[in-house]
PDB file of all heavy atoms in Angstrom:
ATOM      1  N   THR A  88      13.432  -0.213  -0.600  1.00 98.00           N
ATOM      2  CA  THR A  88      13.462   0.063  -2.035  1.00 98.00           C
ATOM      3  C   THR A  88      12.683  -0.983  -2.803  1.00 98.00           C
ATOM      4  O   THR A  88      12.919  -2.189  -2.663  1.00 98.00           O
ATOM      5  CB  THR A  88      14.917   0.098  -2.538  1.00 98.00           C
ATOM      6  OG1 THR A  88      15.592   1.198  -1.930  1.00 98.00           O
ATOM      7  CG2 THR A  88      14.967   0.257  -4.056  1.00 98.00           C
ATOM      8  N   ALA A  89      11.720  -0.530  -3.598  1.00 98.00           N
ATOM      9  CA  ALA A  89      10.860  -1.437  -4.356  1.00 98.00           C
ATOM     10  C   ALA A  89       9.881  -0.614  -5.190  1.00 98.00           C
ATOM     11  O   ALA A  89       9.794   0.610  -5.023  1.00 98.00           O
ATOM     12  CB  ALA A  89      10.062  -2.349  -3.417  1.00 98.00           C
ATOM     13  N   VAL A  90       9.163  -1.297  -6.053  1.00 98.00           N
ATOM     14  CA  VAL A  90       7.998  -0.692  -6.693  1.00 98.00           C
ATOM     15  C   VAL A  90       6.815  -0.945  -5.765  1.00 98.00           C
ATOM     16  O   VAL A  90       6.560  -2.091  -5.382  1.00 98.00           O
ATOM     17  CB  VAL A  90       7.724  -1.289  -8.086  1.00 98.00           C
ATOM     18  CG1 VAL A  90       6.456  -0.680  -8.677  1.00 98.00           C
ATOM     19  CG2 VAL A  90       8.922  -1.049  -9.005  1.00 98.00           C
ATOM     20  N   TYR A  91       6.126   0.114  -5.422  1.00 98.00           N
ATOM     21  CA  TYR A  91       4.990   0.016  -4.514  1.00 98.00           C
ATOM     22  C   TYR A  91       3.694   0.048  -5.335  1.00 98.00           C
ATOM     23  O   TYR A  91       3.497   0.935  -6.165  1.00 98.00           O
ATOM     24  CB  TYR A  91       5.013   1.157  -3.508  1.00 98.00           C
ATOM     25  CG  TYR A  91       6.020   0.926  -2.409  1.00 98.00           C
ATOM     26  CD1 TYR A  91       7.384   0.975  -2.671  1.00 98.00           C
ATOM     27  CD2 TYR A  91       5.609   0.629  -1.114  1.00 98.00           C
ATOM     28  CE1 TYR A  91       8.321   0.730  -1.671  1.00 98.00           C
ATOM     29  CE2 TYR A  91       6.530   0.401  -0.101  1.00 98.00           C
ATOM     30  CZ  TYR A  91       7.885   0.442  -0.383  1.00 98.00           C
ATOM     31  OH  TYR A  91       8.804   0.202   0.605  1.00 98.00           O
ATOM     32  N   TYR A  92       2.832  -0.918  -5.055  1.00 98.00           N
ATOM     33  CA  TYR A  92       1.573  -1.052  -5.768  1.00 98.00           C
ATOM     34  C   TYR A  92       0.392  -0.861  -4.825  1.00 98.00           C
ATOM     35  O   TYR A  92       0.369  -1.403  -3.725  1.00 98.00           O
ATOM     36  CB  TYR A  92       1.452  -2.451  -6.393  1.00 98.00           C
ATOM     37  CG  TYR A  92       2.464  -2.743  -7.463  1.00 98.00           C
ATOM     38  CD1 TYR A  92       3.674  -3.352  -7.151  1.00 98.00           C
ATOM     39  CD2 TYR A  92       2.200  -2.428  -8.788  1.00 98.00           C
ATOM     40  CE1 TYR A  92       4.606  -3.638  -8.136  1.00 98.00           C
ATOM     41  CE2 TYR A  92       3.124  -2.707  -9.789  1.00 98.00           C
ATOM     42  CZ  TYR A  92       4.322  -3.306  -9.447  1.00 98.00           C
ATOM     43  OH  TYR A  92       5.246  -3.584 -10.438  1.00 98.00           O
ATOM     44  N   CYS A  93      -0.579  -0.102  -5.292  1.00 98.00           N
ATOM     45  CA  CYS A  93      -1.843   0.033  -4.599  1.00 98.00           C
ATOM     46  C   CYS A  93      -2.774  -1.075  -5.073  1.00 98.00           C
ATOM     47  O   CYS A  93      -2.756  -1.442  -6.253  1.00 98.00           O
ATOM     48  CB  CYS A  93      -2.439   1.400  -4.902  1.00 98.00           C
ATOM     49  SG  CYS A  93      -4.054   1.706  -4.178  1.00 98.00           S
ATOM     50  N   ALA A  94      -3.575  -1.613  -4.161  1.00 98.00           N
ATOM     51  CA  ALA A  94      -4.507  -2.683  -4.505  1.00 98.00           C
ATOM     52  C   ALA A  94      -5.839  -2.451  -3.811  1.00 98.00           C
ATOM     53  O   ALA A  94      -5.883  -1.815  -2.759  1.00 98.00           O
ATOM     54  CB  ALA A  94      -3.928  -4.037  -4.097  1.00 98.00           C
ATOM     55  N   ALA A  95      -6.885  -2.998  -4.400  1.00 97.00           N
ATOM     56  CA  ALA A  95      -8.218  -2.824  -3.815  1.00 97.00           C
ATOM     57  C   ALA A  95      -9.089  -4.046  -4.083  1.00 97.00           C
ATOM     58  O   ALA A  95      -8.895  -4.767  -5.065  1.00 97.00           O
ATOM     59  CB  ALA A  95      -8.889  -1.580  -4.391  1.00 97.00           C
ATOM     60  N   ARG A  96     -10.016  -4.276  -3.182  1.00 94.00           N
ATOM     61  CA  ARG A  96     -11.014  -5.312  -3.382  1.00 94.00           C
ATOM     62  C   ARG A  96     -12.378  -4.719  -3.034  1.00 94.00           C
ATOM     63  O   ARG A  96     -12.457  -3.776  -2.230  1.00 94.00           O
ATOM     64  CB  ARG A  96     -10.740  -6.557  -2.548  1.00 94.00           C
ATOM     65  CG  ARG A  96     -10.633  -6.355  -1.054  1.00 94.00           C
ATOM     66  CD  ARG A  96     -10.455  -7.680  -0.312  1.00 94.00           C
ATOM     67  NE  ARG A  96     -11.660  -8.487  -0.399  1.00 94.00           N
ATOM     68  CZ  ARG A  96     -11.674  -9.710  -0.915  1.00 94.00           C
ATOM     69  NH1 ARG A  96     -10.563 -10.262  -1.391  1.00 94.00           N
ATOM     70  NH2 ARG A  96     -12.802 -10.402  -0.962  1.00 94.00           N
ATOM     71  N   LEU A  97     -13.413  -5.278  -3.633  1.00 90.00           N
ATOM     72  CA  LEU A  97     -14.743  -4.716  -3.447  1.00 90.00           C
ATOM     73  C   LEU A  97     -15.517  -5.391  -2.329  1.00 90.00           C
ATOM     74  O   LEU A  97     -16.384  -4.775  -1.712  1.00 90.00           O
ATOM     75  CB  LEU A  97     -15.544  -4.827  -4.752  1.00 90.00           C
ATOM     76  CG  LEU A  97     -14.947  -4.116  -5.961  1.00 90.00           C
ATOM     77  CD1 LEU A  97     -15.900  -4.216  -7.134  1.00 90.00           C
ATOM     78  CD2 LEU A  97     -14.628  -2.661  -5.643  1.00 90.00           C
ATOM     79  N   SER A  98     -15.241  -6.651  -2.064  1.00 83.00           N
ATOM     80  CA  SER A  98     -16.043  -7.386  -1.096  1.00 83.00           C
ATOM     81  C   SER A  98     -15.346  -7.474   0.255  1.00 83.00           C
ATOM     82  O   SER A  98     -14.120  -7.429   0.356  1.00 83.00           O
ATOM     83  CB  SER A  98     -16.348  -8.798  -1.615  1.00 83.00           C
ATOM     84  OG  SER A  98     -15.157  -9.504  -1.849  1.00 83.00           O
ATOM     85  N   PHE A  99     -16.148  -7.612   1.292  1.00 81.00           N
ATOM     86  CA  PHE A  99     -15.655  -7.669   2.667  1.00 81.00           C
ATOM     87  C   PHE A  99     -15.164  -9.071   2.999  1.00 81.00           C
ATOM     88  O   PHE A  99     -15.742 -10.061   2.589  1.00 81.00           O
ATOM     89  CB  PHE A  99     -16.785  -7.273   3.614  1.00 81.00           C
ATOM     90  CG  PHE A  99     -16.459  -7.431   5.070  1.00 81.00           C
ATOM     91  CD1 PHE A  99     -15.769  -6.434   5.743  1.00 81.00           C
ATOM     92  CD2 PHE A  99     -16.823  -8.575   5.766  1.00 81.00           C
ATOM     93  CE1 PHE A  99     -15.454  -6.571   7.082  1.00 81.00           C
ATOM     94  CE2 PHE A  99     -16.516  -8.728   7.106  1.00 81.00           C
ATOM     95  CZ  PHE A  99     -15.835  -7.718   7.770  1.00 81.00           C
ATOM     96  N   ARG A 100     -14.073  -9.131   3.754  1.00 78.00           N
ATOM     97  CA  ARG A 100     -13.592 -10.381   4.319  1.00 78.00           C
ATOM     98  C   ARG A 100     -13.418 -10.179   5.821  1.00 78.00           C
ATOM     99  O   ARG A 100     -12.995  -9.122   6.270  1.00 78.00           O
ATOM    100  CB  ARG A 100     -12.248 -10.773   3.704  1.00 78.00           C
ATOM    101  CG  ARG A 100     -12.304 -11.163   2.250  1.00 78.00           C
ATOM    102  CD  ARG A 100     -12.942 -12.526   2.064  1.00 78.00           C
ATOM    103  NE  ARG A 100     -12.147 -13.584   2.642  1.00 78.00           N
ATOM    104  CZ  ARG A 100     -11.224 -14.259   1.983  1.00 78.00           C
ATOM    105  NH1 ARG A 100     -10.982 -13.989   0.728  1.00 78.00           N
ATOM    106  NH2 ARG A 100     -10.554 -15.221   2.574  1.00 78.00           N
ATOM    107  N   PRO A 101     -13.729 -11.182   6.650  1.00 81.00           N
ATOM    108  CA  PRO A 101     -13.604 -11.015   8.110  1.00 81.00           C
ATOM    109  C   PRO A 101     -12.192 -10.613   8.545  1.00 81.00           C
ATOM    110  O   PRO A 101     -12.037  -9.808   9.450  1.00 81.00           O
ATOM    111  CB  PRO A 101     -13.982 -12.396   8.655  1.00 81.00           C
ATOM    112  CG  PRO A 101     -14.839 -12.996   7.600  1.00 81.00           C
ATOM    113  CD  PRO A 101     -14.297 -12.478   6.289  1.00 81.00           C
ATOM    114  N   LEU A 102     -11.185 -11.187   7.895  1.00 86.00           N
ATOM    115  CA  LEU A 102      -9.815 -10.815   8.191  1.00 86.00           C
ATOM    116  C   LEU A 102      -9.284  -9.979   7.043  1.00 86.00           C
ATOM    117  O   LEU A 102      -9.568 -10.267   5.875  1.00 86.00           O
ATOM    118  CB  LEU A 102      -8.945 -12.058   8.371  1.00 86.00           C
ATOM    119  CG  LEU A 102      -9.303 -12.959   9.552  1.00 86.00           C
ATOM    120  CD1 LEU A 102      -8.402 -14.190   9.572  1.00 86.00           C
ATOM    121  CD2 LEU A 102      -9.192 -12.201  10.865  1.00 86.00           C
ATOM    122  N   ILE A 103      -8.522  -8.964   7.331  1.00 90.00           N
ATOM    123  CA  ILE A 103      -7.957  -8.120   6.284  1.00 90.00           C
ATOM    124  C   ILE A 103      -7.026  -8.955   5.412  1.00 90.00           C
ATOM    125  O   ILE A 103      -6.069  -9.548   5.914  1.00 90.00           O
ATOM    126  CB  ILE A 103      -7.206  -6.926   6.881  1.00 90.00           C
ATOM    127  CG1 ILE A 103      -8.190  -6.002   7.601  1.00 90.00           C
ATOM    128  CG2 ILE A 103      -6.464  -6.162   5.798  1.00 90.00           C
ATOM    129  CD1 ILE A 103      -7.537  -4.802   8.263  1.00 90.00           C
TER     130      ILE A 103
END
Side-chain angles (χ1 to χ4, degrees):
T88 295
V90 177
Y91 283 70
Y92 295 92
C93 177
R96 57 176 292 122
L97 300 185
S98 59
F99 174 84
R100 292 287 294 269
L102 296 177
I103 294 178

